[in-house]
Amino acid sequence: MESRMLPVPDGLDGERVDAGVSKLLGLSRSRVASIADGGSVRLDGRSVGKSDRLRAGALLDVEWEPERPLQVEPIEVPELEIVHDEPSFVVVMKPVGVAAHPSVGWTGPTVLGALAAAGFRISTSGQPERQGIVHRLDVGTSGLMVVAKTERSYSVLKQAFRDRTVEKTYHAVVQGLLDPLEGTIDAPIGRHPGSSWKFAVVAGGKPSITHYETLEAFRRGSLIEVHLETGRTHQIRVHMSAQRHPCMGDPLYGGDPKLAAALGLERQWLHAVKLGFDHPENGGFVEFTSAYPRDLEIALERLREGLPA
């Protein structure tokens, strides 16, 4: 068991418990929320919840079990397609239901685990369970990912994503018809004030910019192409929901479950179709594309046929 006892500094007065303790102790915000839910965060001897507020000068007492180091478990994922492979990086088509890397609470397959099972060697710096990961896709989102295989490619690609020079193109099917048919959504995204696992457009959130264009319009929805200028967690899903056009099959952000069922969707209709970046070794621009997975293609065909009524 680890513990810390210290006064709350003036700079954290009024801060949420999960955010403030995270800054003080260097633990993730979700980890602090879990500790608080277990009653192990106390202010002046009284247990507080994750959304309670810190008070400057109050005695903060936190106890937690140290986490065991995460490990990459080699697990075969037959649906994971190797789109391109060379000594410095590999591009994969991540199927739905697969995480990018191991994380607390996730027990399913990962991209790194699938690559390990297939005999790939990833040798980069950083946390062992995240080696080679320069960007991520949600578990429920399919599409293209690049994984660095060497230290140089990791450094170059990581910086390219920071500098926003990587071209990331997604296709999404959203409910309703966007007005205007193409445009830019510039709205800050942060954690949802009422949920620790959701995000929302909130004042004070991180700058987030999404460009979209309608490709096809149907009676019940639209197929759109999306280009991301920033890469916030759940960015497309949050921005589309904020426009009252949630991704079909995405009940977390307002998708209609009856409509999803009629289309045979068991996840959000969102796919990373194109990924382009400067080659980490020779600097030449490279670009990769991915076809829609079968479940998304079936749902799209049903929309084109005029279903559901």
Side-chain angles (χ1 to χ4, degrees), residues 15-301:
E15 188 91 37
R16 278 177 56 115
V17 165
D18 51 1
V21 175
S22 174
K23 294 174 183 177
L24 276 175
L25 303 185
L27 300 171
S28 71
R29 188 166 172 173
S30 59
R31 176 73 171 135
V32 175
S34 177
I35 295 169
D37 288 342
S40 294
V41 178
R42 291 176 288 276
L43 275 182
D44 289 337
R46 183 179 66 85
S47 293
V48 290
K50 60 189 177 186
S51 60
D52 289 335
R53 301 289 170 171
L54 296 174
R55 300 189 310 278
L59 184 62
L60 177 69
D61 183 9
V62 185
E63 291 185 345
W64 71 96
E65 290 284 351
E67 294 180 336
R68 292 179 296 177
L70 295 171
Q71 301 292 329
V72 175
E73 295 290 341
I75 300 176
E76 291 186 4
V77 181
E79 300 83 8
L80 184 135
E81 175 189 352
I82 304 300
V83 176
H84 179 83
D85 178 36
E86 59 179 87
S88 61
F89 65 88
V90 58
V91 177
V92 304
M93 199 296 285
K94 186 192 83 67
V96 66
V98 177
H101 56 75
S103 60
V104 176
W106 176 253
T107 58
T110 66
V111 169
L112 290 184
L115 290 174
F120 285 82
R121 295 190 64 183
I122 308 296
S123 180
T124 67
S125 61
Q127 296 169 287
E129 74 276 9
R130 297 191 184 189
Q131 284 198 359
I133 296 296
V134 293
H135 70 127
R136 293 177 292 180
L137 293 177
D138 297 341
V139 170
T141 299
S142 55
L144 294 169
M145 279 186 60
V146 58
V147 179
K149 293 167 64 177
T150 66
E151 186 62 44
R152 173 175 171 77
S153 63
Y154 179 81
S155 176
V156 172
L157 289 171
K158 193 75 173 175
Q159 191 61 48
F161 276 95
R162 289 195 192 102
D163 293 341
R164 304 180 186 177
T165 61
V166 178
E167 295 186 8
K168 301 171 286 184
T169 305
Y170 296 77
H171 282 185
V173 171
V174 300
Q175 294 176 198
L177 184 64
L178 285 157
D179 183 16
L181 295 177
E182 60 181 279
T184 296
I185 304 169
D186 185 350
I189 290 176
R191 288 194 177 272
H192 193 290
S195 172
S196 61
W197 63 87
K198 286 178 63 176
F199 292 81
V201 171
V202 294
K206 294 181 179 179
S208 308
I209 302 174
T210 301
H211 307 283
Y212 71 88
E213 175 187 356
T214 300
L215 301 178
E216 292 185 63
F218 315 106
R219 188 166 63 217
R220 300 293 298 275
S222 306
L223 172 66
I224 64 172
E225 182 166 289
V226 178
H227 295 269
L228 294 182
E229 221 177 280
T230 53
R232 308 305 177 201
T233 303
H234 299 178
Q235 179 172 324
I236 296 173
R237 299 164 66 190
V238 171
H239 271 173
M240 289 299 114
S241 178
Q243 300 298 308
R244 294 185 172 84
H245 296 288
C247 292
M248 288 193 180
D250 188 7
L252 184 64
Y253 289 104
D256 182 348
K258 291 183 178 179
L259 181 56
L263 295 172
L265 278 174
E266 296 182 353
R267 48 105 164 205
Q268 64 260 18
W269 206 116
L270 181 60
H271 185 68
V273 297
K274 189 181 296 185
L275 186 64
F277 51 88
D278 291 336
H279 194 288
E281 298 293 340
N282 60 40
F285 187 75
V286 293
E287 187 174 76
F288 307 94
T289 59
S290 170
Y292 303 150
R294 186 58 183 153
D295 63 330
L296 301 188
E297 189 62 57
I298 289 173
L300 190 57
E301 289 171 359

